[in-house]
C-alpha cells in the first residue's frame, strides 16, 4: 500500500517541510523506493515495494489558520519543484503521503485521487483500502451530508470515508466518536478493510491502525515517536529506539495537551 507521515506539534515554532521530508536516514522520500523497514512486525504482503503513483504534502498555515497542499501524480523523487517549495514553507502541522496503487485495487491515478484531502479545513489521508469499495459506494453517498458530499472531487474510498467522518463529526461534535462510528459503518459490510487514517483540524489529530473482516493478515504498519511528534508508516530513523508500533486496532489521539492510545 502507500506510505504516510504526519508531524503534529501545534504549540511549537514551525519547522521547514524540507527537514521533515528529506533529512532523516529513512525519510519518506527514501521509503518511496527503498525496501520496507518495519521493525517488530512480520513482512506484510500489502506493503508495496515501490510507491510511485503520486504524492501529496499538506500543511497548516498559522497566518490565516488554513490548511494547504501540494500534489502531483509523478513519483515524489521525480518532482522538480518539491525540494524548492519545501525549503520555503514552515509549519507545525505537516502531512505527507506517497501513493501506491497496489495491484490496481485503488482508484485511478489522478490529482483528484491524490492524498491528502482538505474539506472544511479538516485534512485527511489514508494508507489502505476497502476491498470491493465500488460495491458499497452508494451506501456512502446516501449517508454523507449533502453539503459535504458536494466537496468530494475524486473516486477513492479514502475521500468518501472522509466525507462520512465529517458527517458524523457534524452530528456528534466529537472526533473520537465520529471515527469509531465510521469504523462500525464500514465493518458491517463484511469487506476486508485496511484503515490507517490520519485526520486533523489543528485542534486535534487522530491516526488509526485498523484492520476489519480479515483474520489472516496483519494491519498495515504505523509507528509513533512521542519525542519527535511524528507518526509514520515506517520509522524515519533506523538507529533509534524511540519509534513505537501502534498496536493492532488502536487509535492515536493527540491534542494540545494529550497523547493517548485507544483500542477499537
Amino acid at each position: 500500500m502507500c506510505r504516510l507521515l504526519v508531524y503534529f506539534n501545534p504549540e511549537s515554532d514551525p519547522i521547514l517541510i524540507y527537514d521533515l521530508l528529506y533529512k532523516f536516514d529513512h525519510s519518506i522520500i527514501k521509503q518511496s523506493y527503498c525496501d520496507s523497514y518495519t521493525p517488530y512486525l512480520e513482512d506484510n504482503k500489502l506493503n508495496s515495494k515501490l510507491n510511485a503513483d503520486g504524492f501529496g504534502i499538506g500543511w497548516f498555515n498559522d497566518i490565516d489558520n488554513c490548511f494547504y497542499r501540494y500534489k502531483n501524480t509523478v513519483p515524489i523523487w521525480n518532482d522538480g519543484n518539491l525540494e524548492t517549495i519545501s525549503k520555503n514553507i514552515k509549519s507545525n502541522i505537516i502531512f505527507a503521503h506517497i501513493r501506491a496503487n497496489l495491484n490496481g485495487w485503488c482508484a485511478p491515478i489522478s490529482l483528484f485521487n491524490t492524498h491528502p484531502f482538505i474539506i472544511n479545513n479538516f485534512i485527511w489521508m489514508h494508507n489502505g483500502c476497502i476491498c470491493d469499495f465500488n460495491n458499497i459506494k452508494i451506501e456512502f453517498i446516501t449517508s454523507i451530508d449533502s453539503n459535504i458530499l458536494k466537496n468530494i472531487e475524486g473516486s477513492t474510498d479514502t475521500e468518501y470515508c472522509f466525507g462520512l467522518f465529517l458527517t458524523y463529526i457534524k452530528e456528534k461534535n466529537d472526533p473520537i466518536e465520529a471515527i469509531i462510528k465510521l469504523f462500525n459503518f464500514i465493518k458491517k459490510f463484511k469487506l476486508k478493510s485496511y484503515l490507517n487514517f490520519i485526520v486533523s483540524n489543528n485542534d486535534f489529530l487522530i491516526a488509526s491502525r485498523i484492520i476489519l473482516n480479515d483474520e489472516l493478515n496483519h494491519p498495515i504498519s504505523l509507528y509513533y515517536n512521542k519525542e519527535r511528534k511524528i507518526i509514520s508508516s515506517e520509522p524515519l530513523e533506523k538507529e533509534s529506539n524511540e519509534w513505537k508500533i501502534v498496536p493492532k486496532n488502536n487509535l492515536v489521539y493527540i491534542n494540545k495537551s494529550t497523547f493517548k492510545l485507544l483500542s477499537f
Side-chain angles (χ1 to χ4, degrees):
M1 292 292 174
C2 309
R3 286 290 178 268
L4 48 74
L5 75 83
V6 61
Y7 171 76
F8 184 81
N9 199 5
E11 297 297 285
S12 74
D13 292 333
I15 66 169
L16 279 173
I17 293 177
Y18 176 87
D19 292 346
L20 184 67
L21 299 184
Y22 288 91
K23 285 198 170 180
F24 290 93
D25 64 83
H26 190 58
S27 69
I28 195 165
I29 306 291
K30 292 180 180 177
Q31 288 176 38
S32 65
Y33 57 82
C34 291
D35 290 340
S36 293
Y37 174 63
T38 54
Y40 322 119
L41 297 175
E42 299 177 23
D43 289 340
N44 192 323
K45 68 179 183 180
L46 298 174
N47 287 342
S48 177
K49 294 185 178 180
L50 192 66
N51 295 271
D53 297 326
F55 72 93
I57 310 300
W59 65 92
F60 182 75
N61 183 328
D62 61 6
I63 297 174
D64 61 6
N65 294 323
C66 291
F67 282 101
Y68 294 90
R69 66 192 176 193
Y70 175 72
K71 305 196 290 187
N72 203 335
T73 55
V74 303
I76 194 168
W77 67 80
N78 205 29
D79 183 290
N81 296 313
L82 179 61
E83 184 172 340
T84 299
I85 290 170
S86 65
K87 285 180 176 178
N88 287 278
I89 299 174
K90 289 184 175 182
S91 180
N92 50 24
I93 303 175
I94 302 168
F95 278 50
H97 187 280
I98 50 177
R99 194 165 185 235
N101 190 353
L102 188 64
N103 300 322
W105 288 357
C106 306
I109 299 168
S110 91
L111 276 180
F112 292 123
N113 291 334
T114 303
H115 312 218
F117 302 98
I118 300 171
I119 299 176
N120 296 344
N121 216 33
F122 285 80
I123 186 168
W124 176 279
M125 61 184 175
H126 174 204
N127 181 15
C129 69
I130 301 172
C131 295
D132 299 314
F133 171 72
N134 284 337
N135 293 342
I136 60 168
K137 186 174 181 178
I138 188 62
E139 303 290 342
F140 279 78
I141 292 171
T142 55
S143 299
I144 295 172
D145 180 282
S146 60
N147 289 321
I148 295 169
L149 184 64
K150 67 185 181 183
N151 291 291
I152 294 177
E153 299 177 322
S155 57
T156 60
D157 53 358
T158 301
E159 199 174 6
Y160 282 92
C161 288
F162 185 23
L164 195 52
F165 169 80
L166 293 176
T167 299
Y168 292 154
I169 204 169
K170 189 175 178 181
E171 295 172 0
K172 295 180 171 294
N173 198 32
D174 184 314
I176 296 173
E177 288 187 20
I179 203 160
I180 288 173
K181 187 172 181 180
L182 173 63
F183 294 144
N184 284 323
F185 179 88
I186 297 168
K187 186 176 182 179
K188 71 182 182 182
F189 296 108
K190 302 188 184 307
L191 299 176
K192 293 179 180 180
S193 302
Y194 313 98
L195 308 175
N196 285 20
F197 295 136
I198 299 183
V199 60
S200 179
N201 75 338
N202 181 41
D203 292 326
F204 74 90
L205 181 129
I206 292 176
S208 64
R209 183 173 180 245
I210 303 292
I211 184 169
L212 300 176
N213 305 314
D214 185 348
E215 301 300 324
L216 299 179
N217 289 302
H218 302 287
I220 300 167
S221 60
L222 191 67
Y223 296 80
Y224 64 91
N225 186 320
K226 291 179 70 174
E227 296 301 315
R228 291 197 175 275
K229 314 296 185 186
I230 295 173
I231 298 172
S232 179
S233 295
E234 299 183 16
L236 301 185
E237 302 160 297
K238 292 189 175 182
E239 301 299 328
S240 170
N241 59 7
E242 292 179 351
W243 295 90
K244 310 300 182 186
I245 188 73
V246 177
K248 177 180 178 179
N249 289 344
N250 269 242
L251 315 173
V252 178
Y253 175 79
I254 310 171
N255 61 26
K256 293 172 183 177
S257 61
T258 302
F259 179 103
K260 56 186 176 182
L261 287 167
L262 303 169
S263 62
F264 170 68

